[in-house]
């Protein structure tokens, strides 16, 4: 089992934050690697991810007084995923939010870095809605994380940043392009992005 945690602080209503995290319409936008969601009933759904491989989790969601949990299992190959958001309101109207991701299953030894990026991307999206203060990653950190992850990965990792694309293999940048701009100049352009839309694929 791997586990990663982050924390952020927002000036918002704690109950509204929990409702937003419980709402699958938001998670479709806020969960990186999520490809599709199929509702089964009010509390259960199927979540399809693509990270190192396709994942199809049978999920259950639960909302409490200060916590939302989304957890599920994949039957074959056997895997488990749990996503928890806890809120702790302060008297000044700020809310401390703890976000935790847990995973066990195939390629578990490689899952730490993608989970870290997954959680920080979620925090950034939540922060963008409420304009809070998070432990977010900048573009350089995301690129460094993925270069490190590619060292132990047999395939290629493709990072799409707005109209730019970077391909990584075995700890190296194989290619980088932003329209007609390629190579080092493309990397400079990518690293200069302040609020990029990022997509990461493992092929």
């Amino acid at each position: 089992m791997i586990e990663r945690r982050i924390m952020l602080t927002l000036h918002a209503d704690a109950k509204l934050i929990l409702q937003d995290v419980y709402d699958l319409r938001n998670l479709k936008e806020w969960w990186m690697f999520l490809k599709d969601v199929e509702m089964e009933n009010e509390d259960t759904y199927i979540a399809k991810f693509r990270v190192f491989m396709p994942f199809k989790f049978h999920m259950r969601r639960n909302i409490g007084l200060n916590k939302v949990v989304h957890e599920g299992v994949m039957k074959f190959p056997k895997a488990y995923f749990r996503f928890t958001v806890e809120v702790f309101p302060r008297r000044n109207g700020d809310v401390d939010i703890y976000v935790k991701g847990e995973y066990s299953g195939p390629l578990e030894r490689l899952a730490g870095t993608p989970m870290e990026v997954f959680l920080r991307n979620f925090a950034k999206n939540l922060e963008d809605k409420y304009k809070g203060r998070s432990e977010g990653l900048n573009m350089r950190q995301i690129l460094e994380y993925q270069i490190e992850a590619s060292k132990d990965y047999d395939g290629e990792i493709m990072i799409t940043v707005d109209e730019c694309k970077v391909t990584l293999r075995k700890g190296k940048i194989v290619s980088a392009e932003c329209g007609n701009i390629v190579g080092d100049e493309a990397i400079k352009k990518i690293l200069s992005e302040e609020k990029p839309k990022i997509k990461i694929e493992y092929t």
Side-chain angles (χ1 to χ4, degrees):
M1 173 79 75
I2 66 106
E3 179 182 308
R4 295 291 185 274
R5 300 168 180 258
I6 65 166
M7 186 192 115
L8 65 154
T9 301
L10 301 174
H11 190 79
D13 184 287
K15 291 182 179 179
L16 183 57
I17 293 171
L18 292 177
Q19 287 291 341
D20 280 343
V21 176
Y22 182 76
D23 192 333
L24 296 182
R25 292 171 297 181
N26 290 325
L27 294 188
K28 287 180 181 180
E29 301 294 327
W30 296 349
W31 273 2
M32 183 179 280
F33 309 126
L34 180 65
K35 300 303 181 184
D36 192 26
V37 172
E38 299 175 6
M39 289 296 299
E40 293 183 321
N41 58 47
E42 177 63 25
D43 298 320
T44 64
Y45 60 97
I46 294 173
K48 297 179 181 178
F49 295 88
R50 172 78 191 190
V51 190
F52 298 112
M53 55 177 277
F55 291 88
K56 183 178 179 180
F57 286 102
H58 293 266
M59 304 287 293
R60 178 175 295 276
R61 58 180 179 162
N62 180 65
I63 185 169
L65 292 176
N66 74 324
K67 180 167 63 175
V68 170
V69 177
H70 294 262
E71 66 178 332
V73 296
M74 185 167 73
K75 296 180 180 178
F76 184 81
K78 190 174 181 181
Y80 172 79
F81 169 64
R82 179 181 170 101
F83 177 80
T84 305
V85 174
E86 292 184 83
V87 296
F88 300 92
R90 299 184 190 176
R91 290 182 178 179
N92 65 357
D94 284 352
V95 180
D96 290 330
I97 305 169
Y98 293 88
V99 186
K100 181 172 68 173
E102 301 165 87
Y103 169 78
S104 64
L107 302 172
E108 188 173 322
R109 67 184 179 86
L110 301 178
T113 296
M115 180 67 82
E116 184 87 13
V117 173
F118 173 82
L119 295 181
R120 292 186 183 275
N121 183 74
F122 168 82
K124 179 181 180 299
N125 287 323
L126 192 63
E127 179 188 30
D128 285 347
K129 177 166 183 176
Y130 291 98
K131 303 300 181 185
R133 302 179 297 280
S134 75
E135 302 172 345
L137 291 177
N138 60 37
M139 193 59 235
R140 181 178 296 277
Q141 290 171 311
I142 290 174
L143 183 59
E144 289 173 352
Y145 265 119
Q146 295 306 317
I147 289 173
E148 188 66 27
S150 72
K151 292 179 180 179
D152 295 322
Y153 183 53
D154 290 334
E156 291 183 336
I157 299 177
M158 290 190 295
I159 306 173
T160 303
V161 183
D162 297 327
E163 79 278 11
C164 305
K165 182 175 287 187
V166 180
T167 302
L168 310 174
R169 174 182 278 274
K170 295 301 180 185
K172 295 181 179 180
I173 298 175
V174 177
S175 65
E177 57 184 55
C178 295
N180 295 326
I181 305 172
V182 297
D184 290 344
E185 291 302 313
I187 293 295
K188 289 179 183 177
K189 177 175 173 56
I190 290 168
L191 295 179
S192 69
E193 297 287 347
E194 294 185 359
K195 292 187 177 181
K197 292 186 68 175
I198 303 167
K199 179 181 178 183
I200 301 175
E201 299 177 281
Y202 295 78
T203 63

